[in-house]
Amino acid sequence: MRLQDKHALVTGGSDGIGLAIAEAFLRDGADVLIVGRDAGKLETARDKLAAAGPRRTVETLSADLATSRGIAAVAEHVKASGRPLDVLVNNAGVAYLVPFETVSEAQFQHSFALNVTAAFFLTQGLLRHFGAGASVINISSYFANKMIPKRPSSLYSLSKGALNSLTRSLAFELGPRGIRVNAIAPGTVDTAMRRKTVDNLPAAAKAELTAYVERSYPLGRIGRPGDLAGMAVYLASDEAGWTSGGIFPVDGGYTAG
């Protein structure tokens, strides 16, 4: 198993992409701590992971990473565990796909707090706890570089672009310490967050979006959370020991054209 005896932390790990990554890490031999804001969802996630028969330990921690208090709580929990952290997946995020002219200051601040500030300061707060050859994996988005017609994304794209810049700069800054930093940039993935935004669209807009996906994705479908897991396992493993500073698209070929 590629992650045997590694200790991994996955934020936003109670559902969607984060949960799929946590499950894959467990299968490959890692102990996993999943962090989320909703204690009930975390409990459900832990039960699901346990039911799958993981051989390793699954821990949960409820914390709001949009706050400095939540970030500090995670760092303190890792410190109290008494063991080095080998893998950090900064997956927690929010997507306000609303027209530029209607973006509120509250939406702007929350988007950056969760999509950028949390990744920045959580990584900073955990630096002293990283083990040798540690891997940081940021979950970005194709929206940082490519847009969808009639899907307003100025705020979301801005935040994910910032996360890409952070990924590259930290790869340079933390590389001499033996810490690798990479990002995965998914295409559209069928998650609860995505379904929530699509459900708010008018019927005609939903139909148009479905048709756009079918003709624009070379593989003919949007992603599933598990489609990201293999890349995350690779980046977390020693096989990626000379891989750092990369933004890896996992998007069914959407950004190839």
Side-chain angles (χ1 to χ4, degrees):
M1 290 186 285
R2 289 181 288 176
L3 304 182
Q4 186 67 44
D5 296 327
K6 290 187 182 291
H7 186 52
L9 190 163
V10 181
T11 71
S14 60
D15 63 6
I17 292 171
L19 181 58
I21 289 174
E23 187 173 5
F25 282 0
L26 286 165
R27 286 197 305 267
D28 261 273
D31 294 324
V32 178
L33 168 64
I34 56 175
V35 178
R37 188 176 59 179
D38 189 319
K41 287 174 65 176
L42 285 169
E43 180 95 10
T44 300
R46 180 168 53 190
D47 290 345
K48 179 179 179 181
L49 293 172
R55 303 176 183 178
R56 309 297 302 187
T57 301
V58 182
E59 291 184 275
T60 63
L61 178 64
S62 177
D64 183 358
L65 295 178
T67 68
S68 56
R69 183 176 180 178
I71 292 170
V74 176
E76 184 59 34
H77 185 94
V78 172
K79 177 182 178 181
S81 74
R83 61 173 292 182
L85 182 67
D86 301 297
V87 185
L88 169 63
V89 180
N90 288 308
N91 169 68
V94 64
Y96 291 111
L97 298 175
V98 296
F100 172 71
E101 63 268 24
T102 69
V103 174
S104 68
E105 184 176 354
Q107 289 172 328
F108 186 98
Q109 297 295 347
H110 187 233
S111 181
F112 265 76
L114 200 52
N115 294 357
V116 183
T117 306
F120 187 104
F121 284 106
L122 184 59
T123 304
Q124 183 192 75
L126 294 173
L127 268 181
R128 70 189 70 179
H129 305 300
F130 284 138
S135 172
V136 177
I137 304 169
N138 296 321
I139 304 301
S140 182
S141 171
Y142 70 102
F143 267 120
N145 298 300
K146 189 169 182 177
M147 316 308 153
I148 294 179
K150 298 183 181 180
R151 286 282 276 166
S153 65
S154 56
L155 178 54
Y156 188 58
S157 295
L158 178 63
S159 68
K160 292 302 185 178
L163 187 63
N164 285 356
S165 292
L166 177 64
T167 298
R168 295 188 178 101
S169 60
L170 286 185
F172 261 76
E173 194 166 343
L174 302 184
R177 305 187 193 193
I179 299 171
R180 298 178 291 107
V181 186
N182 294 283
I184 299 173
T188 300
V189 177
D190 185 22
T191 64
M193 184 170 70
R194 190 255 179 185
R195 289 192 295 271
K196 182 178 179 180
T197 60
V198 171
D199 287 346
N200 291 328
L201 294 173
K206 286 183 187 179
E208 186 176 351
L209 180 60
T210 299
Y212 177 83
V213 167
E214 290 176 349
R215 68 174 181 268
S216 299
Y217 278 76
L219 294 182
R221 66 170 177 86
I222 64 171
R224 307 180 187 99
D227 291 329
L228 283 298
M231 179 61 76
V233 169
Y234 165 71
L235 292 174
S237 74
D238 295 339
E239 294 175 11
W242 208 54
T243 302
S244 194
I247 313 294
F248 295 94
V250 182
D251 59 14
Y254 178 67
T255 57

